[in-house]
């Protein structure tokens, strides 16, 4: 039997295989008007194609809990009824193909208000420019040169954001999703609070490890309160900022040791799987990338805490993915760019590994 094509049960939900689709922004939603932030035909075909291709779990792109939390004005959101209704068409189709539908809810923080990646290399849209707005963050530190300085969130605003995450989780459930993932990675708002590199606060949400993790855990509690006990909640984390020393003020970033410690906290607050990525919080971090380069971070969390983990990062081949699962390094692999290139990766992998995977009846003659 192929380990990659064994079902995985989390709480009462059984996901048919371990080939999962990582969230990938499409920058294709309407930036204004009655359909602002709502998925449409592009998003339907993008996600539906991977479901027809045998993917076990599909996570939508980072879906903002508030308009100002979008990475770009063209991102998906889940803050109103129009968006909730539009997602139902997608979740119904994914379920009809045997795929588990999941959503990643997010707030971009200081990395909000940017262009699509193919316009000006995804650079900032500054306040006052068309579709631009003032970003927010734990501290008034711009992401990079040319980016707007974010407004420092007040404690009252932090509490409001926690409620917005909970409200989006409630809408996600109404939209038909079966997995909710909280985006705490890649330098977006929750990651900004976690890391001492970006969190310079001196109140209850900054300074010590306990204070810097407070916002994240409050968000987890708010989402878990809205999510059924029988369904899982994931947390995506950047296991390291890839910083050993910030030469500007001698501050280090979030580390792998922090991640292991935090994974135990997340378990206590009802998180069922840690989707383990890295980086994104410091634009000048030195990252050495290569096939499976982030898998060791997931493996360490799994071995030291027992929490289920997903592995990501340049996983592109069936036997590579099989080895990760069979060796116990992770419970699932999440593919990004490889699923953009090959929507039917799961079917190809099953054929190569001698496993079985669901194929739509209309495609049976191609098997």
């Amino acid at each position: 039997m192929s380990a990659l094509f064994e079902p995985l049960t989390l709480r009462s939900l059984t996901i048919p295989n371990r080939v999962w689709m990582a969230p990938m922004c499409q920058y294709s939603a309407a930036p204004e008007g009655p359909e602002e932030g709502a998925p449409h035909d592009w998003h339907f075909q993008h996600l539906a194609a991977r479901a027809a291709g045998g993917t076990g779990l599909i996570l939508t792109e980072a879906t903002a809990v508030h308009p100002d939390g979008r990475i770009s004005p063209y991102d998906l959101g889940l803050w109103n009824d129009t968006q909730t209704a539009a997602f139902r068409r997608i979740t119904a189709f994914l379920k009809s193909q045997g795929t588990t539908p999941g959503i990643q809810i997010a707030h971009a923080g200081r990395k909000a208000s940017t262009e699509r990646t193919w316009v000006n290399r995804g650079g900032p849209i500054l306040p006052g420019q068309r579709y631009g707005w003032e970003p927010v963050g734990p501290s008034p530190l711009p992401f990079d040169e040319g980016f707007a300085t974010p407004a420092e969130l007040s404690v009252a605003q932090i509490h409001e954001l926690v409620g917005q995450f909970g409200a989006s989780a409630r809408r996600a459930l109404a939209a038909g999703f079966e997995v909710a993932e909280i985006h705490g990675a890649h330098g977006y708002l929750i990651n900004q609070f976690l890391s001492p590199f970006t969190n310079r606060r001196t109140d209850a949400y900054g300074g010590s490890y306990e204070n810097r993790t407070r916002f994240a855990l409050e968000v987890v509690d708010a989402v878990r309160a809205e999510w059924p006990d029988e369904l899982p909640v994931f947390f995506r984390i950047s296991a390291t900022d890839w910083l050993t020393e910030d030469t500007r003020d001698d501050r280090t970033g979030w580390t792998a040791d922090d991640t292991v410690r935090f994974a135990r906290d997340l378990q206590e607050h009802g998180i069922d799987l840690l989707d383990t990525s890295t980086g994104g919080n410091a634009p000048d971090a030195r990252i050495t990338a290569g096939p499976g380069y982030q898998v060791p971070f997931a493996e360490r969390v799994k071995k030291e805490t027992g929490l289920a983990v997903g592995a990501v990062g340049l996983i592109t081949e069936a036997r590579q993915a099989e080895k990760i699962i069979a060796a116990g390094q992770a419970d699932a692999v999440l593919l990004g760019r490889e699923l953009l290139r090959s929507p039917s990766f799961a079917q190809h992998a099953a054929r190569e590994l001698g496993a079985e995977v669901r194929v739509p009846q209309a495609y049976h003659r191609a098997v």
Side-chain angles (χ1 to χ4, degrees):
M1 286 291 294
S2 164
L4 189 62
F5 288 93
E6 280 288 309
L8 177 65
T9 298
L10 296 169
R11 296 196 181 229
S12 297
L13 179 70
T14 299
I15 302 168
N17 62 56
R18 316 294 181 98
V19 179
W20 297 356
M21 179 174 168
M24 288 176 283
C25 288
Q26 298 298 290
Y27 306 109
S28 298
E32 60 184 357
E35 304 300 319
E36 180 183 10
H40 53 72
D41 284 352
W42 175 263
H43 304 90
F44 179 87
Q45 70 79 28
H46 168 62
L47 300 171
R50 279 79 196 166
T55 308
L57 167 70
I58 287 178
L59 289 164
T60 65
E61 66 184 71
T63 302
V65 302
H66 185 272
D68 291 352
R70 290 172 292 179
I71 302 167
S72 87
Y74 305 93
D75 288 4
L76 294 180
L78 195 51
W79 64 78
N80 65 39
D81 291 342
T82 298
Q83 296 157 349
T84 305
F87 273 117
R88 290 193 186 109
R89 176 189 177 210
I90 293 173
T91 59
F93 183 83
L94 300 191
K95 290 176 183 177
S96 77
Q97 300 305 301
T99 294
T100 301
I103 188 168
Q104 184 185 75
I105 54 175
H107 193 294
R110 70 175 187 161
K111 293 177 75 173
S113 191
T114 65
E115 269 290 2
R116 293 163 289 189
T117 54
W118 56 87
V119 178
N120 192 28
R121 296 185 178 181
I125 305 175
L126 298 175
Q129 295 178 334
R130 189 184 185 198
Y131 298 145
W133 64 87
E134 182 183 37
V136 298
S139 303
L141 303 169
F143 173 65
D144 202 358
E145 183 178 352
F147 279 70
T149 298
E152 181 171 305
L153 289 161
S154 69
V155 171
Q157 288 172 318
I158 291 171
H159 293 167
E160 186 176 0
L161 279 164
V162 170
Q164 290 166 0
F165 272 92
S168 284
R170 183 167 60 251
R171 291 186 181 280
L173 186 64
F177 289 101
E178 296 177 309
V179 171
E181 175 170 278
I182 299 164
H183 198 354
H186 301 158
Y188 298 119
L189 184 62
I190 292 176
N191 191 183
Q192 292 162 30
F193 270 91
L194 292 174
S195 174
F197 179 71
T198 41
N199 186 343
R200 311 296 173 85
R201 301 177 72 96
T202 57
D203 62 5
Y205 289 92
S208 67
Y209 165 88
E210 289 78 9
N211 285 357
R212 287 183 285 107
T213 58
R214 188 182 309 277
F215 173 60
L217 293 177
E218 288 179 351
V219 168
V220 170
D221 289 345
V223 170
R224 191 74 260 183
E226 298 290 349
W227 208 247
D229 288 342
E230 64 269 20
L231 293 178
V233 176
F234 297 176
F235 191 98
R236 187 165 227 200
I237 198 165
S238 282
T240 176
D241 285 338
W242 293 100
L243 293 173
T244 55
E245 181 182 358
D246 176 12
T247 56
R248 285 164 290 185
D249 63 3
D250 296 327
R251 287 175 183 257
T252 57
W254 183 262
T255 69
D257 289 343
D258 293 326
T259 294
V260 172
R261 180 181 180 183
F262 190 50
R264 296 190 179 99
D265 295 337
L266 291 171
Q267 280 180 296
E268 293 179 1
H269 286 258
I271 289 297
D272 302 288
L273 181 139
L274 194 67
D275 181 357
T276 313
S277 188
T278 64
N281 200 30
D284 55 352
R286 295 182 178 90
I287 302 174
T288 303
Y293 72 105
Q294 296 175 124
V295 174
F297 296 98
E299 181 180 17
R300 182 181 170 190
V301 169
K302 182 174 175 62
K303 287 186 175 179
E304 294 188 26
T305 72
L307 181 63
V309 296
V312 306
L314 293 178
I315 299 170
T316 60
E317 299 178 358
R319 296 194 183 279
Q320 176 196 18
E322 173 75 11
K323 182 178 178 181
I324 291 167
I325 305 302
Q329 293 177 287
D331 298 277
V333 294
L334 289 100
L335 308 183
R337 290 173 177 84
E338 187 59 27
L339 271 174
L340 293 182
R341 290 185 286 264
S342 179
S344 296
F345 177 93
Q347 292 172 2
H348 298 316
R351 186 179 302 117
E352 181 176 342
L353 297 171
E356 292 186 4
V357 71
R358 173 196 41 75
V359 178
Q361 288 184 338
Y363 288 0
H364 274 184
R365 62 185 178 276
V367 176

